[in-house]
Amino acid sequence: MASTNRVPHVVIIGGGFGGVAAARAFKRQRVKVTLVDRNVYKTFQPLLYQVATAGLNPGDVTMFLRGLRLGQRNLRFRHAEMQTIHPQENRVEFADGTSLGYDFLIVTTGVTTNYMGVPGAEQHSMAMYTRTQAMAIRDHIFSGLEQMARRNGRLQCNVVVVGGGATGVEVAGALADLARGELRAVYPELEDDAFNIMIVQRGDEVLKPFSEKLRAFSAKALTDRGVQLRFGAGVETVTETGVTLTDGTEIRSDLTVWAAGVTAPEHVKNWNLPQGQGGRILVTGTQQVEGHANIFAAGDICGTAKDALPQLAQVAIQGGRHAAAQVLKLIAGDTELEPFAYHDKGIMATIGRRAAVAELPNGIMLKGTIGWLAWLAVHVMTLIGHRNRRAVFMNLFSLYVGMKGTHQSNPIVGEVSLPAHKRARLHDQD
Ligand SMILES: Cc1cc2nc3c(=O)[nH]c(=O)nc-3n(C[C@H](O)[C@H](O)[C@H](O)COP(=O)(O)OP(=O)(O)OC[C@H]3O[C@@H](n4cnc5c(N)ncnc54)[C@H](O)[C@@H]3O)c2cc1C
């Protein structure tokens, strides 16, 4: 490869955290990069719960993928859904019947909601993995509130959140804050307890990966907000009107949010690549797919046979960059590839206004407002694209810290007032 004049073609499937990080790592390199995604935008999933609960608008948490080309001339974007890979022919095939050849392939397609085979879960609960799903939850909430307003607040909206991990805690906390704050101003017809929010968790605590101290803080912050915690039983079935728990308890629910985990999509089995636990594509320590020297994978979709790294944005970003660096080594004729070493930057979750928890690898634990500021710094400043940063920062800062209990900062009643010309940004796809 090093001796020919032909420019090598790298195809990256998936424009999420891993794919975009990999694509950027090829900037100013002598390669042709094609980034492929079934959406024209990248989704910043850690803030989807804000879209679902009307704290942010959908355009705030998405980035127009073609926009990457503005800063990287060797990159092309293709809007397509990959259907299969033909490794012997170095070719990927798309759902629209077209195909694309590659010299090197990087697969960063992420995962999807895991309904764990629970009857009725897929049909009757709402997941929050995509922008469309977050908007569906938001529409469901606000059309339900309108119904309640028509009945002069004599109804209560029962929300059951399945799963006490970061996503479940974040959506429950944000809804509770919404009910206690902005909702009172815009829905004077409703009683104070418009929402009855419950987290159902099979285990006996929320935010399991965090230390005991932070788990206790989070549970208290949730119950202080009126969120009920139902531990010790999982969800057995979901219907249109509620959930039945494994201990036989029936709970009425107007909105069931499914936040119980993720898995590799079923269709990965059609990709002719080896799969391991949870359907994740099997990679070696260097991020090469087992048995395929020129195919790499990064992020949520892959894992080694020995261990699978946590499914986090930082793992995907660092993995994407690592895969790109290994491709560049191979192009340069260097076959001594390096193993991927994940640099752990810690874990964080937001419970609500001025309440978040963060646990850093050096043992430092942050909670409350300090924890929330750390969460804001990491999520807005280092993860989200710089075009979205200012609007998201201002919206979240005023929503959570600046204007407690007022209604000036929330998209349901009025956004932070940026001049119109500054809000009309390229990435805004709404
Ligand atoms: C609600 C929620 C909250 C989260 N909160 C946090 C958090 O606070 N902190 C944290 O670190 N992590 C969080 N995560 C996890 C984090 O978002 C993931 O670890 C990260 O997105 C993984 O990046 P990735 O590149 O592997 O996949 P993704 O970011 O999911 O990107 C995959 C991309 O591939 C595209 N794609 C998929 N299949 C195809 C196909 N066949 N053809 C073409 N394109 C395809 C998709 O459209 C998508 O753009 C959260 C996840 C969710 C769902």
Side-chain angles (χ1 to χ4, degrees):
M1 188 71 63
S3 58
T4 72
N5 278 331
R6 196 172 69 80
V7 178
H9 185 203
V10 182
V11 173
I12 302 169
I13 310 289
F17 284 101
V20 168
R24 283 188 169 133
F26 290 112
K27 192 171 173 174
R28 293 197 198 92
Q29 301 293 335
R30 199 177 162 273
V31 288
K32 217 169 70 179
V33 180
T34 305
L35 177 64
V36 179
D37 202 292
R38 60 187 173 193
N39 294 318
V40 295
Y41 52 82
K42 170 186 175 217
T43 305
F44 184 77
Q45 289 149 347
L47 285 175
L48 277 179
Y49 79 95
Q50 285 288 348
V51 175
T53 56
L56 291 174
N57 282 316
D60 293 335
V61 302
T62 52
M63 183 191 86
F64 185 47
L65 283 168
R66 265 183 193 270
L68 287 171
R69 217 189 113 74
L70 296 174
Q72 190 170 343
R73 301 307 298 270
N74 66 351
L75 183 138
R76 293 283 160 104
F77 175 71
R78 176 114 167 219
H79 181 212
E81 176 156 9
M82 183 176 77
Q83 205 154 50
T84 193
I85 305 170
H86 299 284
Q88 284 76 25
E89 300 165 29
N90 289 344
R91 184 170 66 85
V92 288
E93 205 175 294
F94 301 121
D96 62 9
T98 61
S99 67
L100 187 65
Y102 60 81
D103 295 306
F104 296 93
L105 180 68
I106 304 180
V107 181
T108 55
T109 45
V111 285
T112 188
T113 308
N114 188 356
Y115 293 102
M116 295 159 175
V118 172
E122 192 166 355
Q123 296 82 357
H124 302 298
S125 70
M126 302 184 85
M128 203 177 50
Y129 207 84
T130 64
R131 181 184 80 162
T132 309
Q133 289 171 335
M135 279 309 287
I137 293 177
R138 178 164 160 163
D139 288 346
H140 191 87
I141 291 170
F142 287 98
S143 49
L145 288 172
E146 289 304 331
Q147 263 183 38
M148 288 158 63
R150 280 201 294 279
R151 303 276 296 266
N152 282 326
R154 282 194 300 275
L155 297 174
Q156 212 185 15
C157 180
N158 281 344
V159 181
V160 171
V161 178
V162 184
T167 302
V169 164
E170 287 176 341
V171 78
L175 266 184
D177 274 352
L178 177 67
R180 293 176 345 144
E182 294 80 6
L183 219 56
R184 289 179 180 167
V186 279
Y187 287 94
E189 301 94 330
L190 302 185
E191 305 280 336
D192 274 356
D193 53 354
F195 288 121
N196 184 16
I197 306 163
M198 178 186 283
I199 294 179
V200 174
Q201 163 73 3
R202 192 183 288 275
D204 55 4
E205 53 205 347
V206 290
L207 297 182
K208 205 166 164 233
F210 288 80
S211 68
E212 197 182 336
K213 193 171 142 194
L214 295 184
R215 290 198 301 266
F217 171 85
S218 308
K220 183 169 179 325
L222 285 166
T223 49
D224 285 351
R225 285 167 164 75
V227 176
Q228 297 173 59
L229 303 177
R230 181 71 161 78
F231 293 136
V235 171
E236 197 163 73
T237 52
V238 183
T239 64
E240 213 177 322
T241 53
V243 300
T244 305
L245 304 190
T246 45
D247 64 5
T249 313
E250 291 187 3
I251 302 168
R252 194 174 77 74
S253 173
D254 302 300
L255 166 63
T256 305
V257 178
W258 195 265
V262 292
T263 184
E266 266 294 298
H267 57 243
V268 175
K269 67 177 188 306
N270 303 325
W271 291 358
N272 301 315
L273 299 180
Q275 288 176 270
Q277 225 188 344
R280 290 167 84 170
I281 296 170
L282 271 179
V283 289
T284 64
T286 57
Q287 303 276 110
Q288 277 162 306
V289 173
E290 294 251 9
H292 300 277
N294 66 339
I295 307 181
F296 290 74
D300 284 4
I301 190 60
C302 69
T304 65
K306 269 198 271 158
D307 57 350
L309 286 166
Q311 286 160 307
L312 293 172
Q314 269 303 328
V315 177
I317 292 169
Q318 293 177 32
R321 282 185 196 138
H322 186 83
Q326 305 319 299
V327 167
L328 289 171
K329 267 174 163 271
L330 288 176
I331 290 170
D334 179 358
T335 51
E336 293 282 305
L337 300 192
E338 283 163 25
F340 174 48
Y342 171 54
H343 173 51
D344 184 2
K345 295 194 172 177
I347 46 174
M348 303 182 158
T350 313
I351 300 116
R353 205 166 264 144
R354 297 192 186 90
V357 285
E359 200 162 325
L360 308 182
N362 52 11
I364 292 178
M365 289 185 221
L366 307 170
K367 57 183 168 59
T369 304
I370 298 287
W372 188 82
L373 288 171
W375 175 88
L376 186 71
V378 168
H379 285 79
V380 179
M381 297 307 176
T382 68
L383 294 182
I384 209 162
H386 68 275
R387 280 176 170 274
N388 304 38
R389 244 175 237 161
R390 191 165 64 148
V392 171
F393 180 82
M394 289 175 76
N395 252 335
L396 288 177
F397 192 81
S398 56
L399 181 63
Y400 280 81
V401 176
M403 296 172 238
K404 188 185 180 190
T406 72
H407 59 272
Q408 294 172 40
S409 58
N410 196 295
I412 62 170
V413 281
E415 294 176 23
V416 171
S417 55
L418 289 179
H421 70 282
K422 292 195 175 165
R423 295 198 63 77
R425 297 183 306 270
L426 189 60
H427 69 274
D428 209 325
Q429 294 289 306
D430 312 326

